[in-house]
Amino acid sequence: MNESPIRVMIVDDHSMVRTGLATFLEVSDGLELIGEAGDGAAALKLCEQSQPDVVLMDLVMPDMDGVTATRTIKERWPKIQVIALTSFQEGEMVQDALKAGAISYLLKNVSMDELVRAIRGAHAGRSTMAQEAVQALVQSTSQDPMPGIDLTPREFEVLELLVEGLNNPEISERLYISIGTTRTHVSNIFSKLGVSNRAEAITLALRNKLVK
């Protein structure tokens, strides 16, 4: 039995970017383009109508920017995954997008193969971060010193697997623990690190060298 394609929406104020991404999505196996929007407000209307699985979100747009749109999408439709796809790699913008709920942060120079992997990863609950974005966060000094010092040894193990890109079922299988226990560990990690999602946890862990 064939799996349903991953339903993808494009949000970008540049029509040529939308056209290029749309052409790519239409020829990619397992992906289905279900709509395009030129700003955040239009994206919200499309999400309500079409309920995509994954949204490719530009961040700098007129009327409603991508960070605001991402935050609203995650509040209204938590199951929709948002990938920030932008030309900007400043640490503050990366932080804002992740805090708004974006699962991944990619630059527009990403290869098509990498983008496909990121879309599939986002649909499975895995984060993908552009190296430039990670570096921008590493150089940022906005976090309090020594986060994660109160993590338990098991929580450090779970955090390490989050950084590897594993989702909850994969972590459960790797550590021989139940899904419920994994969820509890992940929730405790988020709380202790002061983050709200996997992408923030991963970038903070990398920035502060909490894992090997």
Side-chain angles (χ1 to χ4, degrees), residues 106-149:
L106 300 175
L107 300 181
K108 287 182 179 176
N109 61 4
V110 64
S111 75
M112 291 299 103
D113 286 345
E114 289 171 319
L115 185 56
V116 169
R117 283 196 294 271
I119 291 170
R120 289 177 178 152
H123 189 236
R126 293 191 295 268
S127 298
T128 307
M129 296 292 297
Q131 282 304 309
E132 297 91 337
V134 173
Q135 190 60 35
L137 287 171
V138 167
Q139 292 168 352
S140 170
T141 57
S142 61
Q143 287 289 338
D144 293 331
M146 293 301 291
I149 198 165

Side-chain angles (χ1 to χ4, degrees), residues 2 44 114 170 205:
N2 291 331
L44 297 183
E114 289 171 319
E170 291 166 338

Side-chain angles (χ1 to χ4, degrees), residues 51-104:
Q51 296 287 303
D53 297 313
V54 178
V55 177
L56 301 179
M57 180 73 74
D58 189 18
L59 296 183
V60 180
M61 296 181 291
D63 300 327
M64 182 188 289
D65 64 60
V67 170
T68 303
T70 297
R71 185 179 300 111
T72 307
I73 287 170
K74 295 304 292 184
E75 286 170 355
R76 294 185 188 174
W77 307 283
K79 290 185 179 179
I80 296 177
Q81 298 288 13
V82 179
I83 295 175
L85 184 61
T86 178
S87 303
F88 297 90
Q89 59 195 59
E90 288 78 9
E92 186 177 351
M93 187 165 285
V94 179
Q95 284 183 329
D96 287 347
L98 298 182
K99 285 178 181 175
I103 190 170
S104 300

